[in-house]
Amino acid sequence: MASLAAANHLKNGPAMQEQETTADKSGTKVNSVVKAIGILRHLAQTQLPEGVNAIARQVGINPSSCFNILKTLASEEFVRFDKETKTYSLGVGVIDLAVSALDPDAGFQRTRPILERLAREHGVTCGLWRKQEDRLILLGTAESESFARIRFTPGNRLPMYIGAMGRCFIARAGMGEAEIDKTIASLKWASAPPLSRYLGEVRRAAVAGYAVDDGDFLQGITSVATPLISREGSITHCIAATTFKGHLDTAGLKRLGEAVKKASEKATPLLWSVR
């Protein structure tokens, strides 16, 4: 019996392995994992729960494989199964993974009370952004209680040098005028700022400790941002307060800038206390 099992393993093993894996330029991939990822990505993009056949058709796999994968994902709470409608949607299991990947140090939760107070007192939306290579990723937001408010989705990414936050980075980057001109010209603005004005705003940001983008990046939107500096002296995060253009006058923007700067001073030790 042992020899027969070994013979069957030698006979069937390579064939089964070939069915389970594919090779491409990026290396060997496990088909079942690729299919599961495809299903999760599809459910993340769709607006309504779907049945097995619809999911299988959209992902491009056979319904039997799709059902087995969905059943496994449901048992691990990565998808939710509705017994009445026989449909599937994303489950709560993906939240823990997403939060860990987005904000591994729980920086937003640590600073959330500071951001909420800032949003409430100034009627703005406050976001904590983390530098990730050459981009900024939004960890979370605190909103005011205003009837009309600006809303951003955690996980959103922006080029590092765009908007008010970009001015904060450039103020500390030691770039020459030509390099700054080239950098801002490569970005997508609602209304690209003239270089002379932009340079003046960068200089003011370096002195004041906060920067303002008054509708250059997003039409009709004003943002005030300040950097959070690590022990090594580099910018790791930014706090950005956003409101509708014209909501605050010059004096109001200055008060907001000072408040955002003060918030960053309070938030910085909370971020670095776990490092």
Side-chain angles (χ1 to χ4, degrees):
M1 292 293 291
S3 61
L4 179 59
N8 286 334
H9 173 75
L10 292 173
K11 179 179 179 181
N12 297 328
M16 293 176 65
Q17 187 178 29
E18 184 177 356
Q19 292 175 0
E20 281 297 313
T21 62
T22 58
D24 60 11
K25 294 180 180 179
S26 62
T28 301
K29 294 183 178 181
V30 179
N31 286 336
S32 57
V33 176
V34 173
K35 292 174 182 176
I37 292 172
I39 289 171
L40 291 173
R41 283 177 172 165
H42 171 69
L43 292 176
Q45 294 172 356
T46 187
Q47 298 298 315
L48 297 172
E50 292 183 338
V52 173
N53 291 332
I55 295 171
R57 184 168 55 253
Q58 291 295 323
V59 178
I61 61 178
N62 68 69
S64 177
S65 294
C66 187
F67 173 75
N68 289 331
I69 293 171
L70 283 167
K71 189 175 180 181
T72 301
L73 292 172
S75 70
E76 298 293 334
E77 297 187 331
F78 286 105
V79 301
R80 176 181 176 273
F81 176 62
D82 189 318
K83 294 181 179 179
E84 294 185 2
T85 61
K86 307 297 182 184
T87 57
Y88 294 86
S89 57
L90 275 185
V92 296
V94 300
I95 296 175
D96 291 336
L97 294 181
V99 169
S100 296
L102 184 66
D103 191 8
D105 295 326
F108 174 66
Q109 291 304 322
R110 290 170 175 272
T111 60
R112 187 170 188 166
I114 297 171
L115 301 179
E116 288 179 340
R117 180 176 179 179
L118 186 63
R120 182 176 61 253
E121 292 182 351
H122 294 269
V124 296
T125 296
C126 293
L128 179 66
W129 298 76
R130 176 167 61 89
K131 180 180 178 294
Q132 188 177 57
E133 297 179 352
D134 61 346
R135 302 185 73 80
L136 296 169
I137 183 168
L138 179 61
L139 303 184
T141 62
E143 299 178 1
S144 70
E145 298 178 354
S146 302
F147 175 76
R149 69 191 75 170
I150 297 169
R151 176 164 293 177
F152 297 102
T153 303
N156 280 355
R157 290 172 171 80
L158 293 176
M160 185 171 67
Y161 292 121
I162 199 72
M165 293 184 291
R167 288 167 170 84
C168 293
F169 278 95
I170 288 181
R172 296 178 62 89
M175 292 182 179
E177 184 174 320
E179 187 178 0
I180 293 175
D181 188 20
K182 182 179 179 181
T183 298
I184 65 174
S186 67
L187 301 172
K188 293 183 179 179
W189 305 82
S191 177
L195 179 61
S196 59
R197 172 166 65 81
Y198 187 86
L199 291 173
E201 292 169 347
V202 168
R203 286 191 291 268
R204 284 193 292 274
V207 174
Y210 65 87
V212 178
D213 181 289
D214 195 18
D216 293 331
F217 172 42
L218 296 173
Q219 186 175 7
I221 301 297
T222 297
S223 291
V224 178
T226 188
L228 279 67
I229 313 299
S230 72
R231 296 188 184 101
E232 292 74 25
S234 61
I235 302 177
T236 60
H237 298 71
C238 282
I239 292 177
T242 307
T243 186
F244 295 105
K245 184 176 172 65
H247 174 65
L248 298 173
D249 58 16
T250 301
L253 282 176
K254 184 176 181 180
R255 286 193 297 272
L256 177 59
E258 293 295 335
V260 174
K261 180 182 176 181
K262 187 174 182 179
S264 73
E265 293 170 352
K266 292 180 178 179
T268 297
L270 298 179
L271 288 176
W272 289 96
S273 63
V274 296
R275 294 175 182 259

